[in-house]
Amino acid sequence: MKKIVFLTGAGVSAESGIKTFRSDDGLWENHPVEKVADICGWYENPLYVNQFYNMLRSQLQTKQPNLAHRLIAQLEEKFDVVVVTQNVDNLHERAGSSSVIHLHGELMKVCSSKDKEDVLQHRELTENDLIVKDGELSADGSLLRPYIVWFGEPVPMLDKAIEEVSSADVVVVVGTSFKVYPAAGLIHYARKDAQLFCIDPNQTSAPTSLGITFIKKKATEGMQELMKLMKF
Ligand code: APR
């Protein structure tokens, strides 16, 4: 079975009403990125950060997967599909994708702030249990924190993502500006004979030397075009 790896960014969720990152000059949902998406922001003001992520979680409940998420999931009928996403939302999973690697963490998970990767202290939040109270502690007595990879932190899923990309027959990038590393470098791990596509309505910093076929459309339209190219 042919293997397709999708590398997705904020653009795949844009048509679900989730804001992308670089459209508003360093603001994320009207909050300065260095306060809410950087490990220093957490050390400086964990309560502010906790409240911001509580807000994002509540907001996520009002958003639905769009056609692009659903078509990516549908491709599993004919292909081995792996999604490597920079997004922290759960729209790929809710659309039915069964293999999703979250490079930058997951909004619906919290963890110990002393040992982020200790799975025994990971807690999945649900629609009815969304809010982390200010000052709420993990089992080791440290503050519970969002399971998010902030600027200044390692990317634990990177090796797994590299493994997936380097064994793909087809790699499709959807809706990322190629501005944030190491995610932006993943495409370079594709096999020389892999087919490469990039779906984005705007000019991005994608490398031009790799023979990528650019589909300059929004994710939902671009995915429909890709389905035809994949003879689906
Ligand atoms: N369909 C497809 N692509 C779109 C759409 C759409 N409807 N709307 C916008 N885009 C594209 C933009 O043209 C841009 O290239 O999505 C991309 C979004 O880029 P960014 O906002 O930079 O988001 P992303 O690349 O996912 O950011 C990477 O930066 O702040 C960090 O951790 C955060 O994961 C995030 C990382």
Side-chain angles (χ1 to χ4, degrees), residues 58-117:
S58 303
Q59 202 183 67
L60 179 58
Q61 309 315 305
T62 68
K63 310 295 182 195
Q64 303 305 327
N66 65 49
L67 184 63
H69 298 105
R70 292 200 302 273
L71 291 177
I72 291 171
Q74 204 183 322
L75 282 166
E76 290 188 17
E77 289 169 20
K78 282 201 184 168
F79 299 95
D80 175 11
V81 179
V82 175
V83 179
V84 176
T85 187
Q86 292 171 77
N87 300 344
V88 297
D89 67 52
N90 57 4
L91 297 183
H92 282 301
E93 288 90 339
R94 279 161 57 194
S97 281
S98 57
S99 176
V100 184
I101 296 172
H102 285 272
L103 270 186
H104 295 165
E106 296 170 65
L107 197 48
M108 295 300 285
K109 233 184 218 181
V110 287
C111 59
S112 149
S113 53
K114 200 186 273 173
D115 187 358
K116 180 170 170 283
E117 299 308 322

Coordinates of all heavy atoms in Angstrom, one line a residue, residues 58-117:
S58 N -11.9 26.0 25.3 CA -13.4 26.2 25.2 C -13.7 26.6 23.7 O -14.7 26.1 23.2 CB -13.8 27.4 26.1 OG -13.5 27.1 27.4
Q59 N -12.9 27.4 23.2 CA -13.1 27.8 21.8 C -13.1 26.6 20.8 O -13.9 26.5 19.9 CB -12.0 28.8 21.4 CG -12.2 29.7 20.3 CD -11.0 30.6 20.0 OE1 -10.0 30.0 19.6 NE2 -11.1 31.8 20.3
L60 N -12.2 25.7 21.1 CA -12.0 24.5 20.2 C -13.3 23.7 20.1 O -13.7 23.1 19.1 CB -10.9 23.7 20.6 CG -10.6 22.4 19.9 CD1 -10.3 22.6 18.4 CD2 -9.4 21.6 20.5
Q61 N -14.1 23.7 21.2 CA -15.3 22.9 21.3 C -16.4 23.4 20.2 O -17.3 22.7 19.8 CB -16.0 22.9 22.7 CG -15.0 22.5 23.8 CD -14.1 21.3 23.4 OE1 -14.6 20.2 23.1 NE2 -12.8 21.5 23.5
T62 N -16.2 24.7 19.8 CA -17.2 25.3 18.9 C -16.8 25.1 17.5 O -17.4 25.5 16.6 CB -17.4 26.8 19.2 OG1 -16.1 27.5 18.8 CG2 -17.7 27.1 20.7
K63 N -15.6 24.5 17.2 CA -15.0 24.4 15.9 C -15.2 23.0 15.4 O -15.2 22.0 16.2 CB -13.5 24.7 15.8 CG -13.2 26.0 16.5 CD -13.7 27.2 15.8 CE -13.3 28.5 16.5 NZ -14.0 29.7 16.1
Q64 N -15.4 22.8 14.1 CA -15.6 21.5 13.5 C -14.5 21.3 12.4 O -14.1 22.2 11.8 CB -17.0 21.4 12.8 CG -18.2 21.7 13.7 CD -18.2 20.9 14.9 OE1 -17.8 19.7 14.9 NE2 -18.7 21.4 16.0
P65 N -14.2 20.0 12.2 CA -13.3 19.6 11.1 C -13.8 20.1 9.8 O -15.1 20.1 9.6 CB -13.2 18.1 11.1 CG -13.7 17.7 12.4 CD -14.6 18.8 12.9
N66 N -13.0 20.5 8.9 CA -13.5 21.0 7.6 C -13.2 19.9 6.5 O -12.7 18.8 6.8 CB -12.9 22.3 7.2 CG -11.4 22.2 7.0 OD1 -10.9 21.4 6.3 ND2 -10.7 23.2 7.6
L67 N -13.6 20.2 5.3 CA -13.5 19.2 4.2 C -12.1 18.7 4.0 O -11.8 17.5 3.7 CB -14.1 19.8 2.9 CG -14.1 18.8 1.7 CD1 -15.0 17.6 1.9 CD2 -14.5 19.6 0.4
A68 N -11.1 19.6 4.2 CA -9.7 19.2 4.1 C -9.3 18.1 5.1 O -8.8 17.0 4.7 CB -8.8 20.4 4.2
H69 N -9.7 18.3 6.4 CA -9.4 17.3 7.4 C -10.1 16.0 7.0 O -9.6 14.9 7.1 CB -10.0 17.7 8.8 CG -9.4 18.9 9.3 ND1 -10.1 20.1 9.4 CD2 -8.2 19.1 9.9 CE1 -9.3 21.0 10.0 NE2 -8.2 20.5 10.3
R70 N -11.4 16.1 6.5 CA -12.2 14.9 6.2 C -11.6 14.1 5.0 O -11.5 12.9 5.0 CB -13.6 15.2 6.0 CG -14.3 15.7 7.2 CD -15.9 15.6 7.1 NE -16.4 16.3 6.0 CZ -16.7 17.6 6.0 NH1 -16.6 18.3 7.1 NH2 -17.2 18.2 4.9
L71 N -11.1 14.8 4.0 CA -10.6 14.1 2.8 C -9.2 13.5 3.2 O -9.0 12.4 2.7 CB -10.4 15.1 1.7 CG -11.7 15.7 1.0 CD1 -11.4 16.7 -0.1 CD2 -12.5 14.5 0.4
I72 N -8.5 14.1 4.0 CA -7.2 13.5 4.5 C -7.5 12.1 5.2 O -6.9 11.1 4.9 CB -6.4 14.4 5.4 CG1 -5.9 15.6 4.6 CG2 -5.3 13.7 6.1 CD1 -5.3 16.7 5.5
A73 N -8.6 12.1 6.0 CA -9.0 10.9 6.7 C -9.5 9.9 5.7 O -9.2 8.7 5.8 CB -10.0 11.2 7.7
Q74 N -10.2 10.3 4.7 CA -10.9 9.4 3.7 C -9.8 8.7 2.9 O -10.0 7.5 2.5 CB -11.7 10.2 2.8 CG -12.8 9.4 2.1 CD -13.6 10.3 1.1 OE1 -13.8 11.5 1.4 NE2 -14.0 9.7 0.0
L75 N -8.7 9.3 2.7 CA -7.6 8.7 1.9 C -7.1 7.4 2.6 O -6.5 6.5 1.9 CB -6.4 9.6 1.8 CG -6.6 10.7 0.7 CD1 -5.5 11.8 0.8 CD2 -6.5 10.1 -0.7
E76 N -7.4 7.2 3.9 CA -7.0 5.9 4.6 C -7.7 4.7 3.9 O -7.3 3.6 4.1 CB -7.4 6.0 6.1 CG -6.5 7.0 6.8 CD -6.7 6.9 8.3 OE1 -7.2 5.9 8.8 OE2 -6.3 7.9 9.0
E77 N -8.8 4.9 3.2 CA -9.5 3.8 2.5 C -8.5 3.1 1.5 O -8.7 1.9 1.2 CB -10.7 4.2 1.8 CG -11.8 4.6 2.8 CD -13.0 5.3 2.1 OE1 -13.2 5.2 0.9 OE2 -13.7 6.0 2.8
K78 N -7.6 3.9 0.9 CA -6.8 3.4 -0.2 C -5.3 3.4 0.1 O -4.5 2.9 -0.6 CB -7.0 4.1 -1.5 CG -8.3 3.7 -2.2 CD -8.2 4.2 -3.6 CE -9.4 3.9 -4.4 NZ -9.4 4.5 -5.7
F79 N -4.9 4.3 1.1 CA -3.5 4.5 1.3 C -3.2 4.3 2.8 O -4.0 4.4 3.7 CB -3.1 5.9 0.9 CG -3.3 6.2 -0.5 CD1 -4.5 6.8 -1.0 CD2 -2.4 5.9 -1.5 CE1 -4.7 7.1 -2.3 CE2 -2.6 6.1 -2.8 CZ -3.8 6.8 -3.3
D80 N -1.9 4.1 3.1 CA -1.4 4.2 4.4 C -1.1 5.7 4.7 O -0.2 6.2 4.0 CB -0.1 3.4 4.5 CG 0.7 3.4 5.8 OD1 0.1 3.9 6.7 OD2 1.8 3.0 5.8
V81 N -1.9 6.3 5.6 CA -1.8 7.7 5.7 C -1.3 8.1 7.1 O -1.9 7.6 8.1 CB -3.2 8.4 5.5 CG1 -3.1 9.9 5.8 CG2 -3.7 8.1 4.1
V82 N -0.3 8.9 7.2 CA 0.1 9.4 8.5 C 0.1 11.0 8.4 O 0.5 11.5 7.4 CB 1.6 9.0 8.8 CG1 2.1 9.6 10.1 CG2 1.7 7.5 8.9
V83 N -0.5 11.6 9.5 CA -0.5 13.0 9.5 C 0.5 13.5 10.6 O 0.4 13.1 11.7 CB -2.0 13.5 9.9 CG1 -2.0 15.0 10.0 CG2 -3.0 13.0 9.0
V84 N 1.4 14.4 10.2 CA 2.3 15.0 11.1 C 1.8 16.5 11.1 O 1.9 17.2 10.2 CB 3.7 14.9 10.6 CG1 4.7 15.7 11.5 CG2 4.2 13.5 10.5
T85 N 1.3 16.9 12.3 CA 0.7 18.2 12.3 C 1.4 19.1 13.3 O 1.9 18.6 14.4 CB -0.8 18.2 12.6 OG1 -1.3 19.5 12.5 CG2 -1.1 17.7 14.0
Q86 N 1.5 20.4 13.0 CA 2.0 21.4 13.9 C 0.9 21.9 14.8 O 1.1 22.7 15.7 CB 2.7 22.5 13.2 CG 4.0 22.1 12.5 CD 4.5 23.3 11.6 OE1 5.0 24.2 12.0 NE2 4.2 23.1 10.3
N87 N -0.3 21.5 14.4 CA -1.5 22.1 15.1 C -1.7 21.4 16.4 O -1.5 20.2 16.6 CB -2.7 22.0 14.2 CG -2.6 22.7 12.9 OD1 -1.7 23.6 12.8 ND2 -3.4 22.5 12.0
V88 N -2.2 22.2 17.4 CA -2.5 21.6 18.7 C -4.0 21.2 18.8 O -4.4 20.6 19.8 CB -2.0 22.5 19.9 CG1 -0.5 22.7 19.8 CG2 -2.8 23.8 19.8
D89 N -4.8 21.6 17.8 CA -6.2 21.2 17.9 C -6.4 19.7 17.6 O -5.4 19.1 17.2 CB -7.0 22.1 16.9 CG -6.7 21.8 15.4 OD1 -6.7 20.6 15.0 OD2 -6.4 22.8 14.7
N90 N -7.6 19.2 17.8 CA -7.8 17.8 17.5 C -8.7 17.5 16.3 O -9.4 16.5 16.3 CB -8.4 17.1 18.8 CG -9.7 17.8 19.2 OD1 -10.2 18.7 18.6 ND2 -10.2 17.4 20.4
L91 N -8.7 18.5 15.4 CA -9.6 18.4 14.2 C -9.3 17.2 13.3 O -10.2 16.6 12.7 CB -9.7 19.7 13.5 CG -10.2 20.9 14.3 CD1 -10.3 22.1 13.4 CD2 -11.6 20.6 14.9
H92 N -8.0 16.8 13.2 CA -7.7 15.7 12.3 C -8.3 14.4 13.0 O -8.9 13.6 12.3 CB -6.1 15.5 12.2 CG -5.5 16.4 11.3 ND1 -5.8 16.4 9.9 CD2 -4.5 17.3 11.4 CE1 -5.0 17.3 9.3 NE2 -4.2 17.9 10.2
E93 N -8.1 14.3 14.3 CA -8.7 13.1 14.9 C -10.2 13.1 14.8 O -10.8 12.0 14.5 CB -8.3 13.1 16.4 CG -6.9 12.7 16.7 CD -6.0 14.0 16.8 OE1 -6.4 15.0 16.2 OE2 -4.9 13.9 17.4
R94 N -10.8 14.2 15.0 CA -12.3 14.3 15.0 C -12.8 14.1 13.6 O -13.9 13.6 13.4 CB -12.8 15.6 15.5 CG -12.8 15.6 17.1 CD -12.8 17.0 17.7 NE -14.0 17.8 17.2 CZ -14.1 19.1 17.4 NH1 -13.1 19.7 18.1 NH2 -15.1 19.7 17.0
A95 N -11.9 14.3 12.5 CA -12.4 14.0 11.2 C -12.2 12.5 10.8 O -12.6 12.1 9.8 CB -11.5 14.9 10.2
G96 N -11.5 11.8 11.7 CA -11.4 10.3 11.5 C -10.0 9.9 11.2 O -9.7 8.7 11.0
S97 N -9.0 10.7 11.2 CA -7.6 10.3 10.9 C -7.2 9.4 12.1 O -7.3 9.8 13.3 CB -6.7 11.5 10.8 OG -6.8 12.0 9.5
S98 N -6.5 8.2 11.8 CA -6.2 7.3 12.8 C -4.7 7.4 13.3 O -4.4 6.9 14.3 CB -6.6 5.9 12.5 OG -5.9 5.6 11.3
S99 N -3.9 8.1 12.4 CA -2.5 8.2 12.8 C -2.1 9.6 12.7 O -1.8 10.1 11.6 CB -1.7 7.3 11.9 OG -0.3 7.4 12.1
V100 N -2.1 10.3 13.9 CA -1.7 11.7 13.9 C -0.6 11.9 14.9 O -0.7 11.5 16.0 CB -3.0 12.5 14.4 CG1 -2.6 14.0 14.3 CG2 -4.2 12.2 13.5
I101 N 0.5 12.6 14.4 CA 1.6 12.9 15.2 C 1.5 14.4 15.5 O 1.6 15.2 14.5 CB 2.9 12.5 14.5 CG1 3.0 11.0 14.4 CG2 4.1 13.1 15.3 CD1 4.2 10.6 13.5
H102 N 1.4 14.8 16.7 CA 1.4 16.3 17.1 C 2.8 16.7 17.4 O 3.3 16.5 18.5 CB 0.4 16.5 18.2 CG -1.0 16.4 17.9 ND1 -1.7 17.5 17.4 CD2 -1.9 15.3 17.9 CE1 -3.0 17.1 17.1 NE2 -3.1 15.8 17.5
L103 N 3.4 17.4 16.5 CA 4.8 17.9 16.7 C 4.8 19.0 17.8 O 5.8 19.0 18.6 CB 5.3 18.6 15.5 CG 6.1 17.8 14.4 CD1 6.6 18.7 13.4 CD2 7.2 17.0 15.1
H104 N 3.8 19.8 17.9 CA 3.8 20.9 18.9 C 2.9 20.7 20.1 O 2.5 21.6 20.7 CB 3.5 22.2 18.2 CG 4.6 22.6 17.2 ND1 4.5 23.6 16.2 CD2 5.9 22.1 17.0 CE1 5.6 23.7 15.5 NE2 6.4 22.8 16.0
G105 N 2.5 19.4 20.3 CA 1.7 19.1 21.4 C 0.2 19.1 21.2 O -0.3 19.2 20.0
E106 N -0.6 19.0 22.3 CA -2.0 18.8 22.1 C -2.8 19.7 23.1 O -2.5 19.6 24.3 CB -2.4 17.3 22.4 CG -1.8 16.4 21.3 CD -2.0 15.0 21.7 OE1 -3.1 14.5 21.8 OE2 -1.0 14.3 21.9
L107 N -3.7 20.4 22.6 CA -4.5 21.4 23.5 C -5.3 20.6 24.5 O -5.5 21.1 25.6 CB -5.4 22.1 22.5 CG -6.1 23.4 23.0 CD1 -5.1 24.3 23.7 CD2 -6.7 24.1 21.8
M108 N -5.8 19.4 24.2 CA -6.7 18.7 25.1 C -5.9 17.8 26.1 O -6.5 16.9 26.7 CB -7.7 17.9 24.3 CG -8.6 18.7 23.4 SD -9.6 19.9 24.5 CE -10.8 18.7 25.2
K109 N -4.6 18.1 26.2 CA -3.8 17.3 27.2 C -3.1 18.3 28.1 O -2.6 19.3 27.7 CB -2.7 16.5 26.4 CG -2.7 15.0 26.7 CD -1.5 14.4 26.0 CE -1.9 13.1 25.4 NZ -0.7 12.5 24.7
V110 N -3.0 17.9 29.4 CA -2.1 18.6 30.3 C -1.1 17.6 31.0 O -1.3 16.4 30.9 CB -3.0 19.3 31.4 CG1 -3.7 20.5 30.8 CG2 -3.9 18.4 32.1
C111 N -0.1 18.2 31.6 CA 1.0 17.4 32.1 C 1.7 18.1 33.3 O 1.4 19.2 33.6 CB 2.0 17.1 31.0 SG 2.7 18.6 30.3
S112 N 2.6 17.4 33.8 CA 3.4 17.9 34.9 C 4.4 19.0 34.4 O 4.9 18.8 33.3 CB 4.3 16.8 35.6 OG 5.5 17.3 36.1
S113 N 4.5 20.1 35.1 CA 5.5 21.1 34.6 C 6.9 20.8 35.1 O 7.8 21.4 34.7 CB 5.1 22.5 35.1 OG 4.9 22.6 36.5
K114 N 7.0 19.8 35.9 CA 8.4 19.3 36.3 C 8.9 18.3 35.3 O 10.1 18.3 35.0 CB 8.3 18.7 37.7 CG 9.7 18.7 38.4 CD 9.6 17.9 39.7 CE 9.2 18.8 40.9 NZ 8.9 18.0 42.1
D115 N 8.0 17.4 34.8 CA 8.5 16.4 33.9 C 7.4 16.2 32.8 O 6.5 15.3 32.9 CB 8.7 15.1 34.7 CG 9.3 14.0 33.8 OD1 9.5 14.2 32.6 OD2 9.5 12.9 34.4
K116 N 7.5 17.0 31.8 CA 6.5 17.1 30.8 C 6.2 15.8 30.1 O 5.1 15.5 29.7 CB 6.9 18.2 29.8 CG 6.0 18.4 28.6 CD 6.4 19.6 27.8 CE 5.7 19.7 26.5 NZ 6.1 18.8 25.5
E117 N 7.2 15.0 29.9 CA 7.0 13.7 29.1 C 6.7 12.5 30.0 O 6.6 11.4 29.5 CB 8.3 13.4 28.3 CG 8.6 14.5 27.2 CD 7.4 14.9 26.4 OE1 6.6 14.0 26.0 OE2 7.2 16.1 26.0

